[in-house]
Amino acid sequence: MKRYLILFLITFQGLMAQVQFEARVSKNSLGINERLRIDFIMNVDGDNFEQPSFEGFKMVAGPSQQISQSWINGRSSFQKIYSYILQPERKGVVTIKQAAIEFNGQVYKTNPIKVTVTNAVAQERDPNDRPPGSGNELLTLVAEISKTNPYLNEPITAVYKLYFNNIGVTGFKELAKPKYNDFWNQNIDIKQLAIEEGNFQGQKCYYVILKKTILYPQKSGKLTIEPLSLDIGVQLPTNRRDMFGQMIITEDNKVVSAGAKTINVRPLPESTKPEGFTGAVGRLNFTVTPSKTTLKNGEGLDLIVSAQGTGNMKLFTLPKPVVPNALEMYDPVHDEQVTTSLSGMSGRITDKYTIVPQYRGKYAIKPMQFSYFDLSSGTYKTITSKEIMIDVLDGPTPAEANPGASASKNAVAKADQFKNIKSRTALIPIEKKDFYDSNLYLGLLFAPFIIIPIIILARKKKEAMDSDVTGNRIRMNNKLAKKYLSQAKKHLNNKEPFYIALEKAMHNFLKAKLHIETSEMSKDNIRELLLSRNANQETVQNFIALTENCEFARYAPASSASIQQDYDKAVLIISELEKQIV
């Protein structure tokens, strides 16, 4: 037995040693203006390839896939390669993290690779070419902040402008969105980008406003606005001309950033802060208005508490009215009629209270105070409303409302005197039943005769399942298909992870249903195998078309609607193939 165990361990280690998965880079040190090639190489047909995040690099191209297989002297060799072209985004030592694959239920990962990124290096060029950016071209992104030392809750604006000159801009995409930590913020819609003439550092140029944002600081002290970064497609002229004498234009990509901005937020004065101040800042007016002041029995009124003007309208609360106990007041209905522009928020906010009187009489709603910080004078202002008198003409008085209250309370008190005396007695035997011959004793006695056969049957079933290699692989691929289809549903709002997961789901579904490996998944082979299993020709064509679309859609622009349609289409196609395949 020991000999067989040793032989099994040696065989298992040999199989494990056959799987090789590694990452190779074209160079371990490069300038920030150079590019890097990285290859992920495996000697088995691994599934569910997971690429690293490539933090610190911009992906210029990839992934491209190469598969080669050969037979030499009766021995086969296999190689699959995923390749990427990367552009460094910062200097220093950058680590490329691990990639991963799955093979026969095991996960294999590459080792991390450290790459040193240095200053830009000189590159050999054709002497007839003019290097991009070597002339008087201008391309810069600027964040213009309206005020760098505002008060707490004072509005400021951030306008992002792209200045350019003697250079063609073909398009752009965001690499990093600006982050407004500790700011309330709202983007101002730009209906259409427009090119305007301007001046940047004394140089005449053109500019485009890309983004407008209104900000309200929510914390005093130094706050940082993280920068906006863009990858811009550009066209640059060279010194070369074509056969018609026209200047040859080269296309390239440039990364620009607006840079981080520091805002020094001043706190509001503490020494003069009024009692009940809730954070209102701006120029505001305050009113308290009842819908009526004279009521009949059963009628109610609406008390409208509102503030209107310009300021941080959505960021403070209105004071709550205080009413006599004889008036029943319900929770308010809050309403906001606020517009937001580059000058800040303006409009009206309202709390509407419904008040219902309980008794006849006259009742006073006390005056209410509302305080705000006036930015123009740098002082607090307090507005006090008038006292409101409510006259209830008819209805019961408090004494008439419940004349029998005292008698009722006395009757209840007398009835409760005998409440805790129980009318029945439950007797419990002093001597307890012996354990021997009890139900628990008999259960424990016969339990082994039931449990042991169940364990033996379960063990035999597990051994049979473990020996079924093909069945296990089918079950594993089925499980992976469901897993990645579920992941695709979670990423409906994130294009690239969605299509990666959807492609893997369809990939594993085929492996489970057709019992094939990745290397056999050519378009013609898939069509032939599906049709031979009685699949509908139209369904097969839709499956292949959707598989091809996954790779294309990862890099093409796509709306959330088209992503949802692709997901619904994949669920429908897989469901139809489940029914059709025999």
Side-chain angles (χ1 to χ4, degrees):
M1 181 66 183
K2 185 175 181 181
R3 182 179 66 182
Y4 289 119
L5 180 60
I6 294 173
L7 180 61
F8 171 76
L9 291 174
I10 293 174
T11 305
F12 178 75
Q13 290 175 353
L15 289 173
M16 292 292 289
Q18 291 177 1
V19 179
Q20 296 178 0
F21 182 44
E22 61 177 339
R24 299 177 187 171
V25 292
S26 57
K27 56 182 75 176
N28 292 99
S29 179
L30 72 159
I32 196 168
N33 60 329
E34 294 184 302
R35 291 180 176 179
L36 173 75
R37 177 189 175 96
I38 182 167
D39 297 321
F40 297 97
I41 306 169
M42 64 194 80
N43 68 338
V44 294
D45 194 6
D47 290 319
N48 304 319
F49 174 72
E50 296 284 350
Q51 71 184 39
S53 61
F54 297 124
E55 185 178 352
F57 290 92
K58 178 183 70 174
M59 189 189 302
V60 178
S64 61
Q65 180 178 323
Q66 303 174 23
I67 297 178
S68 61
Q69 192 168 7
S70 62
W71 289 84
I72 302 175
N73 296 329
R75 299 183 64 181
S76 66
S77 63
F78 177 87
Q79 188 177 72
K80 184 195 285 188
I81 304 174
Y82 289 94
S83 301
Y84 298 83
I85 304 298
L86 307 177
Q87 174 80 45
E89 294 182 321
R90 64 172 185 264
K91 293 185 291 184
V93 178
V94 184
T95 300
I96 299 176
K97 297 180 180 178
Q98 295 173 305
I101 60 169
E102 294 179 11
F103 183 72
N104 285 343
Q106 297 287 327
V107 177
Y108 299 88
K109 295 184 178 182
T110 61
N111 292 324
I113 297 178
K114 291 186 177 181
V115 178
T116 303
V117 181
T118 63
N119 292 325
V121 298
Q123 296 176 324
E124 294 184 2
R125 296 182 182 272
D126 187 333
N128 293 322
D129 282 342
R130 184 179 71 179
S134 61
N136 60 345
E137 297 90 356
L138 170 66
L139 183 67
T140 186
L141 180 65
V142 176
E144 297 182 353
I145 307 299
S146 61
K147 195 170 186 178
T148 57
N149 61 336
Y151 277 109
L152 186 71
N153 267 311
E154 179 181 358
I156 62 173
T157 58
V159 179
Y160 295 87
K161 295 182 179 180
L162 179 67
Y163 290 92
F164 61 95
N165 198 18
N166 297 325
I167 192 171
V169 177
T170 59
F172 66 89
K173 65 177 180 179
E174 288 188 359
L175 295 178
K177 294 181 179 292
K179 295 180 182 178
Y180 310 109
N181 297 326
D182 298 315
F183 287 93
W184 183 95
N185 65 89
Q186 181 172 321
N187 290 328
I188 307 300
D189 289 337
I190 300 177
K191 295 182 179 179
Q192 186 175 2
L193 298 180
I195 300 176
E196 301 181 41
E197 293 185 2
N199 189 289
F200 181 75
Q201 295 181 351
Q203 179 182 353
K204 289 185 177 181
C205 59
Y206 299 94
Y207 70 90
V208 176
I209 297 177
L210 302 178
K211 195 181 187 72
K212 298 178 181 178
T213 306
I214 184 77
L215 305 171
Y216 283 84
Q218 300 299 292
K219 181 180 176 182
S220 59
K222 290 187 177 181
L223 304 183
T224 300
I225 299 176
E226 298 294 332
L228 169 67
S229 297
L230 302 177
D231 182 2
I232 300 178
V234 296
Q235 293 179 333
L236 295 168
T238 67
N239 284 335
R240 301 174 61 185
R241 297 182 180 273
D242 59 18
M243 60 184 295
F244 301 104
Q246 299 294 326
M247 182 73 71
I248 296 177
I249 303 297
T250 62
E251 293 192 358
D252 199 359
N253 286 74
K254 289 185 177 293
V255 177
V256 295
S257 174
K261 298 293 182 180
T262 300
I263 310 298
N264 188 17
V265 182
R266 293 178 288 172
L268 300 179
E270 288 290 335
S271 59
T272 57
K273 183 178 292 186
E275 183 179 356
F277 175 73
T278 59
V281 175
R283 184 182 291 273
L284 301 166
N285 190 22
F286 176 71
T287 57
V288 179
T289 307
S291 59
K292 58 178 74 174
T293 56
T294 303
L295 303 175
K296 296 180 181 179
N297 183 28
E299 287 185 335
L301 67 92
D302 289 333
L303 187 67
I304 300 172
V305 181
S306 66
Q308 54 275 344
T310 60
N312 57 335
M313 305 297 293
K314 299 181 180 181
L315 304 176
F316 63 84
T317 57
L318 293 168
K320 185 176 181 179
V322 178
V323 300
N325 293 333
L327 301 180
E328 185 175 1
M329 184 173 67
Y330 294 88
D331 291 338
V333 176
H334 185 74
D335 181 55
E336 293 179 355
Q337 298 176 2
V338 179
T339 59
T340 305
S341 64
L342 277 183
S343 59
M345 288 186 274
S346 61
R348 175 190 181 97
I349 62 171
T350 301
D351 285 343
K352 183 169 73 173
Y353 296 85
T354 298
I355 298 176
V356 179
Q358 302 298 306
Y359 310 113
R360 182 173 70 244
K362 293 186 178 182
Y363 304 97
I365 298 177
K366 296 180 180 180
M368 299 171 61
Q369 288 189 335
F370 172 74
S371 300
Y372 69 93
F373 184 77
D374 185 13
L375 292 170
S376 59
S377 63
T379 59
Y380 291 99
K381 299 290 180 68
T382 299
I383 302 173
T384 304
S385 66
K386 296 180 180 179
E387 183 181 70
I388 299 173
M389 292 298 299
I390 306 298
D391 187 8
V392 183
L393 300 178
D394 53 9
T397 63
E400 296 171 347
N402 198 358
S406 299
S408 176
K409 288 181 181 179
N410 292 333
V412 171
K414 291 180 180 179
D416 286 346
Q417 290 177 1
F418 304 99
K419 185 177 181 181
N420 296 324
I421 299 177
K422 295 184 178 180
S423 59
R424 294 185 181 181
T425 303
L427 300 177
I428 301 173
I430 298 175
E431 295 182 0
K432 295 184 178 180
K433 190 176 181 181
D434 291 337
F435 175 69
Y436 177 75
D437 203 27
S438 66
N439 291 336
L440 179 60
Y441 169 79
L442 294 174
L444 294 175
L445 181 64
F446 291 104
F449 297 99
I450 300 173
I451 295 174
I452 291 174
I454 294 175
I455 293 174
I456 294 173
L457 291 174
R459 184 175 179 182
K460 287 184 178 181
K461 186 175 181 181
K462 185 178 185 303
E463 289 175 351
M465 291 181 64
D466 291 343
S467 62
D468 184 11
V469 177
T470 302
N472 286 336
R473 182 173 296 180
I474 292 171
R475 283 189 289 272
M476 175 62 73
N477 290 327
N478 257 326
K479 184 178 179 181
L480 289 172
K482 293 177 181 178
K483 167 188 170 185
Y484 287 113
L485 196 61
S486 177
Q487 285 187 5
K489 187 175 181 180
K490 294 178 181 177
H491 292 292
L492 285 173
N493 295 324
N494 199 343
K495 181 184 65 176
E496 188 169 348
F498 167 79
Y499 282 107
I500 290 174
L502 186 62
E503 187 177 12
K504 289 180 179 179
M506 301 177 72
H507 178 93
N508 284 286
F509 172 78
L510 279 184
K511 293 186 69 177
K513 295 301 177 185
L514 302 182
H515 310 162
I516 60 175
E517 297 299 326
T518 305
S519 57
E520 301 174 280
M521 287 190 183
S522 66
K523 182 169 65 175
D524 294 335
N525 193 31
I526 292 171
R527 180 182 288 107
E528 182 179 347
L529 288 172
L530 287 174
L531 292 175
S532 68
R533 300 284 294 276
N534 292 340
N536 181 276
Q537 185 170 0
E538 183 181 356
T539 306
V540 172
Q541 185 58 38
N542 290 338
F543 185 92
I544 293 173
L546 184 58
T547 305
E548 292 174 343
N549 183 53
C550 285
E551 179 65 25
F552 171 77
R554 285 167 57 186
Y555 303 100
S559 66
S560 58
S562 63
I563 291 175
Q564 181 67 53
Q565 290 173 3
D566 285 346
Y567 174 78
D568 295 339
K569 189 184 297 181
V571 173
L572 178 62
I573 292 172
I574 289 175
S575 176
E576 290 178 351
L577 288 177
E578 284 273 15
K579 299 174 184 177
Q580 297 169 6
I581 293 176
V582 296

